[in-house]
Amino acid sequence: MATKPPTGDPVQDAPQVAPPLNAAAGIAAVGHTLRIAQQQMGVRRTAQTLLKVNQKDGFDCPGCAWPEGDKRHKAEFCENGAKAVAEEATLRRVTPEFFAAYSVADLAARSGYWLGQQGRITEPVYLPEGADRYEPVTWDRAFAIIAEELTALGSPDEALFYTSGRTSNEAAFLLQLFAREFGTNNLPDCSNMCHESSGSALTETIGIGKGSVSLEDLHQADLIIVAGQNPGTNHPRMLSALEKAKASGARIISVNPLPEAGLERFKNPQTPLGMLKGVALNDLFLQIRIGGDQALFRLLNKLILDAEGAVDETFVREHTHGYEEFAAAARAADWDETLAATGLERAEIERALAMVLASKRTIVCWAMGLTQHKHSVPTIREVVNFLLLRGNIGRPGAGVCPVRGHSNVQGDRTMGIFERPSPAFLDALEKEFGFAPPRHHGFDVVRSIQALRDGEAKVFFAMGGNFVGATPDTEVTEAAMRRARLTVHVSTKLNRSHAVTGTRALILPTLGRTDRDVQAGGRQVVTVEDSMGMVHASRGNLPPAGPRLLSEPAIVARMARAVLGTGSATPWEDFEKDYGAIRDRIARVVPGFEDFNAKIARPGGFALPHAPRDERRFPTATGKANFTAAPVEYPRVPAGRLLLQTMRSHDQYNTTIYGLDDRYRGIKGGRRVVMVHPGDARELGLADGSYVDLVSEWKDGVERRAPGFRVVHYPTARGCAAAYYPETNVLVPLDSTADTSNTPASKSVIVRLEQSQPA
Ligand SMILES: Nc1nc2c(c(=O)[nH]1)N[C@H]1C(S)=C(S)[C@@H](COP(=O)(O)OP(=O)(O)OC[C@H]3O[C@@H](n4cnc5c(=O)[nH]c(N)nc54)[C@H](O)[C@@H]3O)O[C@H]1N2
Ligand SMILES: Nc1nc2c(c(=O)[nH]1)N[C@H]1C(S)=C(S)[C@@H](COP(=O)(O)OP(=O)(O)OC[C@H]3O[C@@H](n4cnc5c(=O)[nH]c(N)nc54)[C@H](O)[C@@H]3O)O[C@H]1N2
Ligand SMILES: [Mo]
């Protein structure tokens, strides 16, 4: 057995900085991909695995939720998808000896990067009350511990069941079924921190909280606006779609405080010419101030209203509601205020308008740059107003395109992972399973943390993810988690959440997307839903990381039997044996999944119905698409302060850190950097290469500090700053959330920069 290792992290964070690149992908990306993959998987496994990514007989990439087209390339993956696969298919292992060597305190002293590099977890482990390290435990004992703690609760609402968006449809359906049979709607999930604002805004305005475009629509669009998204890093395969759209004459506007490499120029590694030369994707780059998007779209809407014949009057008359009130608000939009809110020039907005008016088919794509602000929901509603005005919903080449994050985050919600389920969903569940599900709403992510903090919740169960790593206000959240009676993590890899535990804790190792899943009923497939509502099967082909791993559906089924016992009439054992039995039930509960098993037999899967897209029908309260007229908001930043966005580098998957480089942005060997406009840096007296503490200023007066960040002079919008998450989560106040969606406002944090030393 290994001797006790020193505490403290051996990984040095020492950033070096070069000018940012203006092109994404290309040859460097291919070399980089293969190097990372081979380090983790070896040469043979690399070939075996990467050729199955996103193929019709293979597994769904555990990276992002971008869809695959019908015609697939042999290498239907990107550099970052390959990193996600390598991270999971690694040959490194975390064994019981590892847990014997490292105490929980040792693990808590390590960086997330180091924890992730240790490999796949192979055995269930248990941290008993008062113990300083995890020890091996049998599966039966683990489920008995969960049952002991859950049945001891005063109310089922003292338990929290979190999901991260890699969970398959089958596992997600079982988890929500179990939670509701147990008696709670406490199903917080990563969407609460992600696209919840999109879901809230879209459900109210078009009647369904999902995007309305297909890949084909993107190819047919005249104009694609990409706002608040960095596809070169986070959805690289989207660049191929944009390239294809451009080849058929589309124009592209990107709206972003940062000039992101992929949107400037894209070198498609799948075509020989693309590799060498690349294409410029952006026709217009609007370098907006953080949080200025609602003001921008509001003014564009006014200008459309003012332009002769620009409004699609037939569409507005036949399909929408609330036009007059909206138009009155939009006509009041003011140039000067918009220029102040956005930091843009009048001529830039006029150019954008000309492109908007020239387009018959417009799509707006967005991601976290729009969803993680206080006023995110009204911002996205304003985007909907913008599309409705010219009839850009429910016809080819047009629509809303919220680009989803985790590979099955959209599917998990479709399966009922939602703290505020619709009555119709609960009715269907009740009819199918014969129990009365709880009707009162449960806790979302932020509310769950408050409940743990205030002693209202005592058991925390996570189906994947890294809850304390991903959530805001790290110190508050970690203290809250430590108050739990029991914390349980179903995980593939180690992360921070395993080191910040309740009185007792369990780590339950599980199969990932790449692993072969064999149950009593034979080899299983699972299903996922992509960002565009396509559902398809995913089959892992690698031998599992160890013989004692259980699949996610098996874990839920066994937990349910241990907790609910003979009180449950649900055939949990059958579900574990054959996931087809789960799908038969999904088919009867969730609209659009009729004949589910038959439909996934078709290679490529099937599309879920989407009333606005398919038939211009809007299932809202008014029965029409709703215009809305919220007051324009944007963040006001006091003098001497900057507005910080917390975002992803090119070498990470959320809290999983693949490496310390952010190649496109020219940063190498470290993550503790803060990007500041050279003009702002000069005014603040901050030389490039100097070190600062980031200090967040929030109305509660509590000081939140992230020490030792290297200042990088960077061409971001004036008044703005950018740094990576999760290191900066400590700065995001728990109460700083988006109105309506309650999503942490992690893209608008007011900070002051204080001169300091490297951390
Ligand atoms: N390789 C990789 N792929 C991923 C992930 C990953 O971590 N790594 N994460 C996955 C997940 S869960 C998600 S949700 C997605 C996230 O995908 P993105 O949303 O692209 O991720 P972020 O890095 O948060 O980038 C936010 C972008 O919005 C811009 N932005 C910030 N504030 C504003 C604003 O106020 N207005 C505008 N217009 N722009 C703004 C930023 O400059 C940045 O370009 O990616 C998914 N795919
Ligand atoms: N400041 C700030 N905070 C943010 C964001 C931001 O932009 N800024 N973005 C937010 C967003 S968009 C999101 S989606 C959340 C992400 O929040 P989470 O989804 O909770 O976090 P991840 O880092 O994706 O979770 C990684 C862990 O998932 C586990 N895992 C991986 N694959 C599997 C699997 O197949 N099964 C199981 N059971 N476990 C698996 C591994 O143990 C790994 O360590 O973070 C949010 N937090
Ligand atoms: Mo996300």
Side-chain angles (χ1 to χ4, degrees), residues 202 208-213 400-402 404 410 531-532 610 613:
L202 293 176
I208 172 167
K210 297 182 183 182
S212 74
V213 302
V400 284
C401 183
R404 293 287 181 153
Q410 185 159 317
S531 200
M532 294 178 176
H610 188 290
R613 178 193 67 208

Side-chain angles (χ1 to χ4, degrees), residues 63-65 80-81 190 194-195 226-231 233-236 255-258 260 286 288-293 366-370 372-373 403-406 645-650 652-656 658 665 722 725 747:
C64 70
N80 276 343
C190 70
C194 186
H195 266 295
V226 182
Q229 196 200 342
N230 177 19
T233 284
N234 297 313
H235 304 91
V255 187
N256 203 306
L258 298 175
E260 304 285 28
L286 297 178
I288 198 164
R289 278 217 173 117
I290 292 174
D293 304 83
W366 72 89
M368 299 304 100
L370 293 204
Q372 299 175 333
H373 304 284
V403 182
R404 293 287 181 153
H406 267 300
Q645 61 152 320
T646 61
M647 58 172 192
R648 292 151 176 82
S649 88
H650 196 61
Q652 75 183 83
Y653 195 91
N654 300 336
T655 69
T656 297
Y658 302 135
R665 298 196 186 107
Y725 116 88
K747 295 280 189 285

Side-chain angles (χ1 to χ4, degrees), residues 284 335 339 344-352:
L284 177 64
W335 266 105
L339 299 183
L344 297 170
E345 308 266 334
R346 187 175 177 121
E348 294 175 305
I349 298 181
E350 282 169 346
R351 264 193 75 197

Side-chain angles (χ1 to χ4, degrees), residues 62 88 121 162-167 190-191 193-195 368 372 405-406 409 462-467 469-472 490-495 498 508 510-513 552 646-648 653-656 725-726 728-729 732 744 746-747:
E88 181 177 300
I121 308 166
Y162 175 69
T163 319
S164 162
R166 272 200 195 170
T167 299
C190 70
S191 359
M193 299 179 268
C194 186
H195 266 295
M368 299 304 100
Q372 299 175 333
H406 267 300
V409 61
M463 181 54 89
N466 176 7
F467 191 84
T471 49
V490 179
S491 309
T492 51
K493 307 274 303 258
L494 271 189
N495 63 48
H498 304 124
L508 307 180
T510 194
L511 301 177
R513 280 291 159 73
E552 293 181 346
T646 61
M647 58 172 192
R648 292 151 176 82
Y653 195 91
N654 300 336
T655 69
T656 297
Y725 116 88
T728 46
N729 286 28
V732 185
S746 45
K747 295 280 189 285

Side-chain angles (χ1 to χ4, degrees), residues 180 185 192 196 200 413 418-422 441-442 740-741:
R180 295 188 167 119
N185 283 313
N192 298 143
E196 196 70 67
S200 299
R413 188 51 68 80
F418 194 19
E419 76 283 357
R420 291 174 283 135
S422 70
H441 289 173
T740 312
S741 67

